[in-house]
Every structure is written in C-alpha cells, then in structure tokens.
Amino acid sequence: MIYFLTRLLRIGLMGEYFDYDEGTYLMMARLINHGYLPYRDIFAVHPPLYYYLLALWLRIFGDSYIIGRLLSVLLGLISITLAYLTGRELKDRKLGLAFALLLTLDPLMIRMNSLVLHETLIELFTLLSLYYFVRYFRRKNLKYAYLALFWAGLGSTAKFTIIPFLLALYIVIILSLDDRSWSHFEGMVRSILTSRQVFVVLAAYTVAAIAVISIITAYPERIVRLLVIVPGIHPVNLVGHKYTAAVFLLLWGILTVYILNLSYVHKLAETVRILLRNWKIEVKLGLAVLAAKALVEVPLGLLVSKSYISQTYLSQGGRYLPFLGFFSLMNKILKNLGGNSPEFLVYLVPLMVLLAWVILAVSRGHRLEVEKPLAGLLVMNIFTFLFLIPILPGERFIYPLFLVAYLTALHSLLSLPLPRRKVLAALTISLLVFSAIDYGMLTNYPEGKLKLAWGEHTNEMRHDLKGYLKEHSLLAGLCMSVNPMNAYYLNLRIDPHLLDTFGLAYLKKENPGFIIERIKEENTRYVILSTWMYAIMQKDKRLKAIYGALQNYTLINGTLEFAESYSTGEVLEFFTIDNAGRNVSISTHYGRLYLWLNGRKAVKLYLKRGNTTFNWKTVLTRRDGSDEYLMESWSKEGREVNASVEVEKTSIRIRPPENITAVLEFKGVAVKEDGEPLKVGEAVTSAYLYIGDIKLTLSADRIQMKNGKIAAEGHEIVLGYGDGG
C-alpha cells in the first residue's frame, strides 16, 4: 500500500526541468513502434534494452506517458520483492523486510519508480545480481557467480551506469576463487573500513590544506589558484583538477599504509600470481557478462548500425573525469549545507540515516558484525564508482553503490544484540525522518516550494497549447521540439534525427548550426521552444550557442502561434516556420511581453492597473492566422486583463483596455523628440528609446518615466523600429 501510494500519488504530473529524458525515451519507443531504429535512424546514447522494452510495453498497453511510467512502477515493485529475497538470503526475514522497506521509502526511488527512466531497470538488475552474489557466497556454488555476473551484464545493455557495479562484482568474485587472494583482499577491506581510517582522512586533508596555503602564498598567480586546491573542500570542475585529485589520493594512500602500518607489496604480488594462474575460470566468468551483452547488443545495436559503438560507448566516455567523483559528492554536500539549500541532498538521506546509526553504535562501544563478501563488494563499488570510472556522481547514476551500502549497513545494524525497546526507538526515529522527507517531496516539491527545479505549471501550459493546436488544426507537419516531451505529449510528428538534440550537441559535438541545417533540409514546419532549453542554455556555453542560434533563426524566420509564460521562468512557445524574415517578433517570458528586433531582445512589457501588476502569467495566442494576437495577463492574485497586440513589419501596436498602463523595461535611455532626456515625472506623447545601437519610436497618449521604467497610457501604444511607427 505504501509503495503504490508514494509512486502513484503524483504520477500524472509533468515537469519541464526534468522530463527531457522521459520525452526522449517515450518518443524513441513510439518511433520504434513506427519502424524507426535507434542508432540507424535515431541518435541514441544508451544501449538498446530499455528502449525496446518500453516500446513493447507501449505497444501492448497504450502509447501515453502515464502508461510508460506504469512500467517503472511495475519494475520498482519487482525490485522491492528482490530486496526482500536478498535480505532474507543474506540473514533472515527481518533483514529482508528492512531492506524492502528502506527502498519503499527511499525518496530517490519514489521519484525514479514513477518516471520513464532507466534507473528503475538498473535498480532491478542490481538487486537481481546482488541476490545471486549472496547465494554464491552462502552456498559456495559457482553457478550463482555466473548468474550474478550475467544479470549485471544484462543490466549494462540498458544503461552504462551499472558498469562500475559490474566491474566491482567481477573483481570480488575472481578474488574469492582462491583462499590466499581472498585473505589478502579481506585484510585490505578491514584497513579501509576501520574507524582509524577517519584519522587517516583527517591527516590527509590537514596536510593538503597546509600544502595549498604554502604554495599559493609563495606563488599567488591565477593559474596556481585555479589548479592548486583541496579536493572536496573546493569544487572540482576543471580538467586540471584530476591531477590535483590524483595527488591527493596518492597522499591518502601513503598515509593509510604508514598510519595503519600495512605490508602490501608481497600480498599484492602474490595476488597477481594467483589471478594469472586462475585465468581460465576468470575468462569463463567474463564470458557470462559478454554473453548477456551479446544477447541484446548484437541484434539490436551492432547489426543495426556501424556507428553503434561510437554513439554509445565512445560518446559517453567524455562526460566526466576519473578521480573526481568522491570529491564532487563531498563538495556538493558542503556547498548545499553551507548555502542553505539542504533539499538538494534529499536523495542522500537514507545513506545519512544508516551512517548515523552506524556511528552511534560504534561510539557506544558496539562491535559491528560485517558480512565480509558484502563489505568487500562495498569497498570495490566505492572505488569503481567514485574514483576509477569517469561517471557523473549524481545519486541516480551511482544508485547501485547505494544499494550495496544499504544492505551492508542494515545487515551490520540488525546483527547488534540490542534490546527490543532500542530497536523500536531507532525504527520510529528513522520512520519519522523518512515520513518528513517523503511528504515534502510528494507535496512541496511539485508545488515549487523547494529550491529543486520542477516546473509546476508544465501540465497547464501543455494542456493549453494542446487545446490551441487542436482548435486551429495545427497538428499536421513536421515539428522540431527541443524538449522531446512536448512533441510526445502533443502527438506531433518529428524528425527522428533531431529527437535528442542535447546528445547531438553535447556528446556527438555537432556544429553549432546543425539544428537549423536539418530544419531547412527536412522542411520542418513547426518549432517548439520551452523552459528546459532556456534553463540549460545558462549552464553550458556550447549549448547556449547552439540553442541561441535556433532561437534567433526561429524568431526571424517563424511566426509565433502560441506562447505562455510565468514569472517563475517557465515558458512554452510554438512557432510556424514560414521564412517571413521578420524584423520585429514578439513572445512572452517571465509573465511579460517580449519584443525582439532581428532576433535580439529589446523591450519587456507588462500591464498594470493601479497597484496591481499583471506579470505573473501571460498567454499570447494568434488570431486566425493574422498578425494580431490576444494577450491575456494575470496578476499573482488571479486577476486578469486582456489586450490586443498587432505585429507589423517594423512595429507593434498594443491596444490595452481603459485605465490600464503598459510598463516598458529596457536597458538604454529614453529621450524626447527634441533630443533631451525624458525626466522622471515628465509627460510626453512620443519618445525615442535607444537600446545599444537600436533606436525605437514610442508613441501613446501619455508617456512618463517612473522608477527607471517607461509608463505608457492610451487606447493604442505603438513601438516602431527603423521606418516604423
């Protein structure tokens, strides 16, 4: 009941800030069902298993985003069952129930299990692999090792984020084949998981801090300040930081050997000899992985397109750098706690809760029982996910590591000989924490009350646009939507090649004008621009150049049909590409009317009556294919005012209702006809606005400068450009 309540309560809500991936996978599945193939007809960056599984699901049960999300709900339910079986196999029914309950209440999985994303399938395959891993060590039967590797390998045909887990799993299994190599590995794990490791880390950071202070004091050049940092305390976001991180890791390793007085050379050499001696069985175990991958990737990838490897394996390799994962995660925690943005750490709460109980138990003198194979798998996962493999350290991408950590910590905590009242107290406190977190994520997050990006008006905007398109019969013709979810929801036909423009731009590194070239080549009729595009443009220079060029092309060569925006920054725009070559264009952003001149933003305008400003929400709709628009604006209190906006070749005419003032915002100066600056409070009927090298003519019944803005009143307000006005 808890599982279905948390997963289904908000399953119908969409959010522009996060559903780009959902739209990509849903549209990919729809295209597959219409005969198009990933890697051949569609640029696709992930392996094929999830694409085809989703396509089959939609073909059987219906093609909609809610149906697609229900697949994740089902896969998540299977994962909860596997969690129970794994915990029961490892220890007993109590551990199984605790593990299943933790995943049921995990805020990250509450989100992932109700979205069309790979992560739920990765959760399932990780747990399936874990189950057979535990059986292998419990029953000493090698067939379970093969099965554990097979299922992890099959998971890697859905998404590569399981590969660090797969590598860690393989290493632990091959080390377990010989008692000597296993003994050496267990010793290494003990040295890493010992409480003394805390002092090692503190020593490493102290030495690093001293070194950084000394070097920068002696050499205060800019390049030194950029590269010489304390990883984790400082952000690690430059390519050169991987070398700084590598030096710190070397220091950490040296201090570990020195402080813990470890002897490793002989043990390492002996382990290598053992591994070389057991090469045949190690190859066979590796073949279990390759068999799983070949089962899916050969017929659905390699045989489909020669570019399969470059689209998936090679393109994904450059997204992140090795050595930096641990330090990025650490810096994220410090940054968000210090910046009063703790909600950005919400997906780390289950790990934090378990860690808190472990620390409390150790500090009280309890000796934690550690399941050695599981502890070894945990250490190797930490190494592969956070240090070795260049994978983004976002919680959803490193979730297999979390699953291993959850099971390891729960097993240790439930093995403590504690009285029943203390167990109940710990359980009650934990449930209160999870209840608060899950309540906030299910209620406050969708309402936009948290700092986490959502887009709480996405459903409303898409519904409004869908109604407009249906009313005006604009559903035919090829469409280019930067966020594929818009085209999917509106049931618009797209160019398969431009399904994932982010992947083409960021991973394939197409030239900045590739979208425009393809639009011209395919005679694309419509373009949809929206919140996701404008948000991502602020985070990456390359994407800003590519999407900025698309926006500029659309404003000049397109005609706005529909636009809706909110003061929060949410926006949805629909253009018809008619190659009009417009000097003057309009749209709406941040609840205001925006005037664009040759693709350049010039003036922002909103309506006002008395003290009421109508800039919380604005909708622009084109009237029957003309150059006239209905502008509907709302105040935050819900009051509405309408105006007519006519777009001419070199001007726009705004006809507001009586007693309404149009407020103009711009970066420039306003002067009167005689060339003198327009002074505050001075009233005129015409003025010139100079915005950089742009000159606009403004005319109205009354024009005044107020608080650095222009207030224009009258039955018709005209903004002219060039010879207009």
Side-chain angles (χ1 to χ4, degrees), residues 131-170:
Y131 173 75
Y132 284 107
F133 173 81
V134 170
R135 295 202 92 179
Y136 163 62
F137 279 96
R138 278 284 180 267
R139 308 192 183 194
K140 305 300 180 184
N141 190 329
L142 198 58
K143 75 174 183 180
Y144 296 123
Y146 282 105
L147 286 169
L149 290 166
F150 177 85
W151 290 118
L154 195 60
S156 72
T157 67
K159 194 172 185 180
F160 294 139
T161 49
I162 199 175
I163 285 181
F165 169 82
L166 171 58
L167 179 59
L169 182 75
Y170 180 75

Side-chain angles (χ1 to χ4, degrees), residues 411-427:
H411 176 270
S412 296
L413 291 169
L414 292 178
S415 299
L416 292 173
L418 296 175
R420 184 180 179 85
R421 60 183 180 81
K422 288 188 176 182
V423 173
L424 289 175
L427 179 61

